[in-house]
Amino acid sequence: MKKQWTKFLIVLALYLLFLLWVKSWWGLLVVPFIYDIYISKKIRWQWWKDSEGPIRFLMSWVDALVFALVAVYFINLFFFQNYVIPSSSLEKSLLTGDYLFVSKLSYGPRIPQTPLTMPLTQHTLPIIKTKSYIEFPHWDYRRVKGLGNVKLNDIVVFNYPSGDTIVTEERYQAADYYTMVYSFGQQIFQEQSRQQVNPANLNRQEQLDYFKTIYNIGRSYIVNNPNEYGSIDSRPTDRRENYVKRCVGLPGQTIQIKNRTVYLDGKANKEPDNVQYTYYVKLKQNLPDDVLKDLGISMEDMTSLNQNGFMPLTKAAAKTLSGRKDLVESIRLNTDATTGDLYPLNAVTGWTRDNYGPVWIPKKGKTLKLTMDNIAVYERPIRVYEGNDLEVKHGQIYINGKLANRYTFKMDYYWMMGDNRHNSADSRYWGFVPEDHIVGKPVFIWWSSDPDRRGFNGVRWNRLFRWVDNIK
C-alpha cells in the first residue's frame, strides 16, 4: 500500500505541475479518478481482463489503441509533432522530403481551439474525406508559457492565414480561396462591363468599391457552381494547413523589399546562406545527373526550366553553372517585375515580389493611424484576425459602427518568407501571420528522402539528425 501511495503522490504532483503550467484548473476534476486508479480502486478500469476468449483479446487491443491515441494527442498538442516539407519554398535550407521534429515548447503550446479532433490528422480524415474535428466546443486563443519567442530569421511552422476559407471540392482545397475569388470576379466583371477598368486610375474609395464588387462577383460565381467547386466552408485557426517559412520581420518593425533585399527599419537583413532566385538559363546539352545532384537541382527545377526558361538557383550554383561553358550557353538573373496576386489583393500598390512595401508589422498594444492609403493593408488583421466589423464609407473608416482613425492591435504579427524567393507563397501574397497561428519551431531533421530518387540512393544521409538551427 505504501508503494501505491508513493506512485499516487508522484503522479499527482506531476499532474498538478502540468495544470499550473497550462493554467487550467478544470483539470482538478480528474484528480478523484487518479486517486481511484492508485488507491481506492472502486472503478473496474480493466474489467475485460476477467473475461475470456475474443472479448479479452479484442478489448486488450482497444485498450492499447486508445492509450496510444491519447498519448500521441497529448504529446503532439503540448510538446512536439512531426512535419514533412511538402514543397520547395524553403529550398535549399529545408528540402522537399525533409521530415522534421517541430517543438511546441519553443514558443509555448497553444491550448486547442477545437479540442475534439482525431489524433494524427490536421483537418480531414483520410479515405472518407470528412472533417476530422468537431467545431464544438470552440475555445478562444490562449498560449501557455514556452521557452522563448519567435526571433528574427527563425524557421517557423504556422497555420496558413488564408486557409480560413476554402471551397470543399477536393482538387481546389489547396488553392488560395481569395485569389480565386478576385481572379474570377475581375474576369467576369470585364466580360460583363465590356470595358477594361484600370484600378490604378481610380481614387482610394473607388478602388475599394471596385475590389468589393469583383469580390462579390467572384464569390457568387463559386456559390453558383457547386458541381465544380463544391460549397464555401471555413476552418478554425488550429485546423488550417501547416506552413513552414522563415520569419523575416518581427512585430513593430517596418519591412521593405528593395531589389530582392529585405530591409527592416531601413537596415538590410542578412539573407539566408542558401537563398534562391530564378535564373534564365540556356543549356547546350542536358545537365548530367552528377551535376544535378552536386548543385541540388531537382526535377521540379528542370521542369520549370523546360516550361518557363528559368529555374531557381543559389548564387553559388549560378556561379558554378556560368563557369561550365561546355553545358551552359547563357545564364542571367530573373528580374521580371511580377506583380500578380500580391497582398493586399484589394488595392493597387505598384509593388512587386522583388520591390515590396514599406509595410509596418502590427505589434500588440501599439496604435496605428488609419488612412485611406493603408486601410487595405490592415483591414484583414482588424476585421478577420481580431474580430471587428470594419467598413469604409464615403472615404471614412468605421470600426464596430464607430468612426475610427486609429486602431490598437490586440496581437503580435509576423512577416514570413521562403528562402526560395521566386517560388514561395508567403507574406508577400497573403500578408501577416498572427501570433495565434504560430505552431512551433522545427528542431531537427530526423529523416530526409529525395523524391527524385528511389531506394538507398534517395536517402539524404548527410541531412539525418541535422539541427535546423544550424541552417542559416
Side-chain angles (χ1 to χ4, degrees):
M1 191 64 179
K2 183 178 180 180
K3 186 177 180 180
Q4 289 301 106
W5 271 101
T6 301
K7 289 181 179 179
F8 166 68
L9 291 174
I10 292 173
V11 171
L12 179 63
L14 293 173
Y15 183 65
L16 291 177
L17 285 173
F18 172 75
L19 294 183
L20 180 65
W21 179 44
V22 300
K23 297 179 181 178
S24 178
W25 301 114
W26 285 102
L28 291 174
L29 296 174
V30 178
V31 171
F33 296 101
I34 298 175
Y35 178 81
D36 182 78
I37 290 172
Y38 289 97
I39 307 300
S40 61
K41 300 184 179 180
K42 299 292 184 183
I43 301 174
R44 296 178 62 202
W45 296 98
Q46 295 183 320
W47 55 269
W48 46 269
K49 284 191 173 181
D50 296 331
S51 303
E52 295 182 359
I55 293 180
R56 181 180 178 130
F57 175 79
L58 179 63
M59 288 305 301
S60 65
W61 279 99
V62 170
D63 180 75
L65 180 62
V66 169
F67 176 81
L69 289 176
V70 171
V72 168
Y73 177 79
F74 180 81
I75 291 170
N76 282 355
L77 195 62
F78 291 102
F79 297 98
F80 65 83
Q81 71 179 77
N82 291 324
Y83 182 81
V84 60
I85 299 296
S87 68
S88 59
S89 67
L90 263 173
E91 292 193 349
K92 293 295 188 277
S93 299
L94 293 179
L95 306 181
T96 304
D98 282 348
Y99 287 77
L100 310 172
F101 270 131
V102 177
S103 166
K104 300 289 186 73
L105 294 173
S106 294
Y107 308 131
R110 294 175 298 183
I111 300 299
Q113 292 168 279
T114 49
L116 299 182
T117 182
M118 177 63 68
L120 302 178
T121 64
Q122 180 61 19
H123 49 67
T124 305
L125 287 172
I127 303 176
I128 58 177
K129 304 298 181 183
T130 60
K131 289 182 180 180
S132 63
Y133 59 93
I134 299 173
E135 295 192 42
F136 181 84
H138 184 85
W139 298 337
D140 292 337
Y141 162 69
R142 187 166 67 85
R143 187 182 298 274
V144 302
K145 189 174 180 57
L147 300 176
N149 300 312
V150 178
K151 295 182 177 64
L152 189 64
N153 297 320
D154 275 0
I155 295 176
V156 182
V157 174
F158 55 92
N159 295 119
Y160 177 39
S162 281
D164 60 332
T165 306
I166 60 166
V167 293
T168 56
E169 174 57 41
E170 184 179 357
R171 57 182 165 158
Y172 292 111
Q173 285 191 11
D176 187 297
Y177 165 79
Y178 297 101
T179 301
M180 288 174 59
V181 166
Y182 279 107
S183 177
F184 292 153
Q186 191 166 27
Q187 181 180 347
I188 296 169
F189 179 85
Q190 303 287 12
E191 291 173 355
Q192 290 177 346
S193 63
R194 296 183 180 178
Q195 59 178 330
Q196 295 294 321
V197 176
N198 185 356
N201 296 330
L202 307 176
N203 63 40
R204 291 295 185 182
Q205 180 64 60
E206 290 171 338
Q207 285 180 8
L208 290 172
D209 291 342
Y210 166 76
F211 285 112
K212 184 176 181 180
T213 297
I214 66 171
Y215 177 86
N216 291 333
I217 291 173
R219 182 179 177 88
S220 296
Y221 175 76
I222 292 175
V223 169
N224 294 329
N225 288 275
N227 292 334
E228 176 70 14
Y229 303 104
S231 59
I232 296 174
D233 200 1
S234 62
R235 283 177 177 158
T237 301
D238 57 346
R239 295 297 114 205
R240 296 169 195 168
E241 295 284 0
N242 286 328
Y243 270 39
V244 58
K245 307 286 180 186
R246 190 181 296 275
C247 176
V248 299
L250 295 173
Q253 293 183 319
T254 296
I255 188 168
Q256 185 174 13
I257 303 171
K258 293 189 288 187
N259 296 325
R260 295 170 301 283
T261 300
V262 174
Y263 288 81
L264 297 172
D265 297 329
K267 297 181 180 179
N269 186 36
K270 180 186 179 299
E271 284 191 326
D273 293 340
N274 290 312
V275 68
Q276 289 196 131
Y277 299 101
T278 53
Y279 288 77
Y280 284 102
V281 181
K282 286 186 179 180
L283 298 176
K284 294 180 178 179
Q285 58 176 292
N286 291 333
L287 296 177
D289 188 65
D290 63 320
V291 173
L292 296 177
K293 196 168 185 178
D294 289 345
L295 299 182
I297 298 174
S298 67
M299 289 300 104
E300 179 184 346
D301 300 335
M302 293 305 300
T303 299
S304 173
L305 179 63
N306 294 332
Q307 293 180 348
N308 306 309
F310 54 74
M311 66 175 174
L313 294 168
T314 64
K315 291 179 182 178
K319 184 178 180 180
T320 300
L321 276 183
S322 66
R324 292 295 303 267
K325 302 302 182 184
D326 57 323
L327 299 175
V328 178
E329 181 179 327
S330 65
I331 181 170
R332 66 179 175 87
L333 181 65
N334 179 4
T335 57
D336 296 349
T338 303
T339 60
D341 302 330
L342 292 173
Y343 179 86
L345 293 171
N346 60 340
V348 178
T349 60
W351 299 340
T352 71
R353 65 184 179 184
D354 292 336
N355 289 277
Y356 188 100
V359 172
W360 179 76
I361 305 170
K363 182 179 177 65
K364 183 178 181 180
K366 294 296 183 180
T367 300
L368 174 72
K369 183 179 179 181
L370 300 177
T371 68
M372 292 298 294
D373 290 331
N374 67 16
I375 189 60
V377 174
Y378 299 103
E379 174 190 4
R380 184 166 174 82
I382 295 171
R383 183 172 56 83
V384 178
Y385 303 140
E386 303 202 352
N388 297 284
D389 178 43
L390 187 149
E391 286 186 288
V392 179
K393 297 183 293 185
H394 310 299
Q396 293 184 308
I397 302 164
Y398 293 83
I399 298 178
N400 299 324
K402 297 180 179 179
L403 184 64
N405 57 15
R406 295 179 181 276
Y407 181 78
T408 301
F409 289 92
K410 303 171 186 174
M411 289 193 292
D412 283 330
Y413 292 80
Y414 302 88
W415 196 264
M416 306 288 186
M417 288 174 59
D419 293 353
N420 195 354
R421 293 287 165 84
H422 285 172
N423 189 26
S424 173
D426 52 37
S427 286
R428 292 170 294 177
Y429 297 89
W430 31 253
F432 309 105
V433 177
E435 65 173 76
D436 66 346
H437 284 55
I438 300 297
V439 174
K441 180 180 181 180
V443 178
F444 68 89
I445 302 166
W446 65 271
W447 181 257
S448 183
S449 57
D450 188 340
D452 296 334
R453 294 173 172 82
R454 295 183 178 180
F456 285 105
N457 289 332
V459 179
R460 303 185 183 108
W461 299 103
N462 63 324
R463 296 186 67 80
L464 301 192
F465 304 106
R466 184 178 179 184
W467 293 96
V468 174
D469 268 350
N470 294 333
I471 301 173
K472 300 298 184 183

